[in-house]
Amino acid sequence: GSILGVPLPILIVAAAALATMALVRWTALGLFIESIGNNSATCEVAGINTRLVKLMTYGFLGLCCAGAGLVDAAMNKIGDANQSGQNIELDVIVAVAIGGTSLVGGRFCLIGSLLGAITMQAVTAGGGVMTAGPLAVPRLTRAGRPGAWRGRRRAQQGGAER
């Protein structure tokens, strides 16, 4: 469905993004999450209950994943948990890296991650629309994986991929 011409999944993502932004930018929990990402041991010494903060963070992540699963099941009209979201792990990591989030912990940017996700969706969808062929999109999204190009070249030449 849609509200005022805007698809409902986009409104759900926008509401979740705003709630997450409010949580991490305007509460003490957000400050604790970021500080634990920078240096967990120092936070324990400072008196922050890191186990509780991590539990709350993963609990919130679980709620977000459940909501994403419901939206995905509603859009695809299928409830198969084994097929939903399969093989998108690298796309998710690349989207977050494009958004400017440090992959080693600490600083993060929610708006940047959303823009990175939109960019990855445009690359994935655009590859199919431009009739680039079924192999073009994996090539574009494999750029960060070491040895991905080498193994593909060997396979095309008839050699074995390591």
Side-chain angles (χ1 to χ4, degrees):
S2 64
I3 297 175
L4 299 174
V6 180
L8 199 55
I10 292 177
L11 295 174
I12 292 171
V13 168
L18 288 174
T20 304
M21 194 176 306
L23 179 74
V24 299
R25 292 292 170 220
W26 298 322
T27 66
L29 178 62
L31 181 64
F32 291 163
I33 291 169
E34 193 166 338
S35 62
I36 288 171
N38 281 327
N39 193 341
S40 182
T42 303
C43 291
E44 286 182 14
V45 171
I48 297 172
N49 188 348
T50 58
R51 292 179 63 131
L52 179 63
V53 172
K54 288 179 184 178
L55 179 71
M56 292 173 67
T57 303
Y58 284 122
F60 184 72
L61 174 65
L63 287 173
C64 290
C65 289
L70 288 173
V71 169
D72 185 46
M75 286 180 62
N76 295 327
K77 295 179 179 68
I78 187 168
D80 188 5
N82 294 323
Q83 299 297 324
S84 181
Q86 194 171 15
N87 297 326
I88 64 166
E89 297 88 359
L90 183 63
D91 292 350
V92 172
I93 294 169
V94 171
V96 171
I98 287 172
T101 298
S102 172
L103 296 180
V104 295
R107 299 293 301 175
F108 56 91
C109 179
L110 293 175
I111 295 174
S113 294
L114 282 172
L115 292 175
I118 291 169
T119 302
M120 285 305 298
Q121 182 61 31
V123 167
T124 304
V129 170
M130 295 183 331
T131 64
L135 297 176
V137 173
R139 285 183 192 158
L140 290 172
T141 58
R142 258 197 294 193
R145 210 167 64 195
W149 299 101
R150 219 173 341 149
R152 174 88 177 130
R153 201 174 314 121
R154 280 195 195 111
Q156 286 175 342
Q157 295 170 355
E161 188 173 347
R162 288 190 222 182

